[in-house]
């Protein structure tokens, strides 16, 4: 789907399919070396139950308990992407607004459902920070990511909560929030913000993109509307097992540890990128997510040269508000980052 020259259905996995499958992957924002062995074992154990239809009650209750909510405020989905489709189909809205640059599936889903979508475009000159005054007062659906893909900006929870209005749905995509130490600025546990809908994904931190599992947190009446738009048994038994496991105390402790490790690895990447400032490289930020967004002269040429050197990075021009001078880099371990930086040095030297 193309709008204003932006391919809303292009995602990072396209960089590592087919001829890109052998490349070192800095294009997809799934944590490396996942899922862990204990989680794979837990999921595999669920296969003995495949003859029965999926029963999501235990997983739903576990997710609710993780956020201190009642189960009626939780809807399990086949990844956050399904949640965007449900929102687009089930919510009766007149003027949806999507804050960009951000993950493009919310807008694509809204357009597929027949909605006309307005955009609020954040500016690099402002650090891609949200000015609430830029959101039209009559918008009855506002979609924003936090931390935002691809900018890696973490918006203050108070700023986002301040967007709530009577008669407005406020959708906050927190797919990467568990990669933020302490999950600061999260709204997932809040029940005092009218119209709030929070989306979470379990595929990024736990390496479950192929299993498809996420969830929605919202008022019970909104959850009911979304659930009626779902097909029967939308989440498989293995995905339900994963959901229950990924919100267990063990998993939460592991995710918290991983968030601190990602922050340290990101700092190492940012320090290395500073070497390229004289070449015109700038970093959006401050970066708070497991990826960083950079702007670089001749970025398309550099991206293609990086592929020839064995590295895949995410092009930025498919995101509304960005052009082809932007690239997104996933945060990886220091060894991988050092290899990438050496290749980036070679790629820039040849431009």
């Amino acid at each position: 789907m193309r709008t204003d020259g932006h391919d809303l259905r292009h995602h990072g996995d396209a960089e590592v399919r087919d001829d890109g499958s052998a490349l070192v992957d800095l294009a997809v924002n799934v944590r490396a070396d996942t899922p862990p062995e204990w989680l794979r074992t837990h999921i595999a154990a669920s296969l003995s139950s495949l003859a029965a239809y999926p029963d999501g009650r235990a997983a739903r209750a576990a997710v609710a308990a993780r956020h201190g909510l009642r189960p009626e405020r939780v809807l399990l989905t086949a990844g956050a992407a399904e949640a965007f489709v449900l929102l687009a189909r089930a919510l009766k809205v007149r003027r949806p607004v999507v804050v960009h640059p951000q993950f493009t599936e919310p807008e694509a889903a809204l357009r597929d459902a027949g909605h006309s979508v307005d955009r609020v475009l954040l500016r690099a000159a402002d650090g891609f920070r949200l000015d609430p005054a830029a959101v039209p007062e009559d918008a009855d659906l506002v979609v924003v990511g936090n931390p935002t893909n691809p900018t890696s900006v973490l918006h203050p929870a108070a700023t986002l909560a301040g967007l709530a209005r009577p008669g407005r749905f406020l959708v906050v995509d927190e797919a990467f929030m568990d990669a933020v130490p302490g999950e600061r600025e999260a709204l997932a546990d809040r029940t005092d913000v009218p119209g709030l809908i929070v989306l979470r994904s379990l595929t990024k931190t736990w390496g479950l993109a192929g299993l498809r599992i996420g969830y929605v947190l919202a008022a019970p009446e909104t959850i009911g509307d979304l659930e009626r738009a779902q097909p029967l048994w939308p989440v498989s038994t293995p995905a339900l097992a994963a959901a229950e496991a990924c919100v267990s105390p063990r998993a939460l402790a592991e995710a918290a540890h991983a968030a601190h490790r990602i922050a340290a690895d990101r700092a190492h990447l940012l320090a290395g990128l500073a070497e390229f400032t004289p070449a015109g490289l700038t970093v959006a930020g401050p970066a708070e997510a497991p990826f960083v967004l950079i702007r670089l002269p001749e970025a398309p040429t550099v991206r293609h040269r990086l592929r020839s050197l064995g590295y895949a990075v995410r092009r930025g021009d498919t995101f509304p508000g960005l052009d082809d001078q932007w690239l997104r880099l996933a945060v990886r371990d220091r060894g991988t980052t050092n290899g990438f930086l050496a290749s980036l040095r070679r790629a820039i030297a040849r431009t």
Side-chain angles (χ1 to χ4, degrees), residues 210-271:
L211 194 62
R212 311 309 305 141
I213 180 64
Y215 55 90
V216 182
L217 306 172
E221 56 271 23
T222 300
I223 293 296
D225 289 340
L226 299 179
E227 192 167 20
R228 283 186 289 275
Q230 273 187 316
L232 288 173
W233 310 293
V235 180
S236 70
T237 294
L240 293 171
E244 193 170 356
C246 290
V247 295
S248 67
R250 172 183 183 172
L252 295 179
E254 183 174 324
H257 176 76
H260 287 283
R261 186 175 69 249
I262 289 167
D265 289 341
R266 183 179 60 240
H268 180 72
L269 172 61
L270 293 173

Side-chain angles (χ1 to χ4, degrees), residues 24 30 36 50 70 100 105 141-142 167 178 186 190 307 332:
V24 177
V30 173
L50 291 185
R70 304 194 315 274
H100 284 290
E105 277 303 309
L141 172 67
V142 178
D178 58 357
R190 298 276 294 272
R307 292 182 72 84
R332 299 294 187 232

Side-chain angles (χ1 to χ4, degrees), residues 127-211:
F128 295 110
R129 293 284 170 182
L130 174 63
D131 176 6
V135 177
E137 192 63 31
D138 63 344
D140 55 0
L141 172 67
V142 178
V143 185
V144 61
N146 204 39
T148 305
N149 171 20
T151 65
S152 201
V153 167
L154 183 66
H155 300 291
T159 298
L160 298 186
L163 293 174
R165 301 282 189 279
R168 170 186 288 178
F169 293 106
L170 173 61
V171 179
V172 183
D173 177 7
E174 292 188 350
F176 295 99
M177 186 60 78
D178 58 357
V180 176
E183 295 196 3
R184 66 187 190 280
E185 313 304 343
L187 291 172
D189 302 351
R190 298 276 294 272
T191 60
D192 60 325
V193 180
L196 176 65
I197 302 172
V198 174
L199 276 58
R200 287 284 182 113
S201 170
L202 296 173
T203 63
K204 310 298 190 297
T205 289
W206 297 108
L208 298 174
L211 194 62

Side-chain angles (χ1 to χ4, degrees), residues 1 7 16 36 50 60 121 128 139 158 188 199 214 226 229 252 261 276 287 290 311 350:
M1 173 186 291
D7 183 357
V16 290
L50 291 185
R60 190 174 191 174
L121 297 179
F128 295 110
L199 276 58
L226 299 179
L252 295 179
R261 186 175 69 249
F276 303 99
Y311 291 86
R350 291 168 55 192

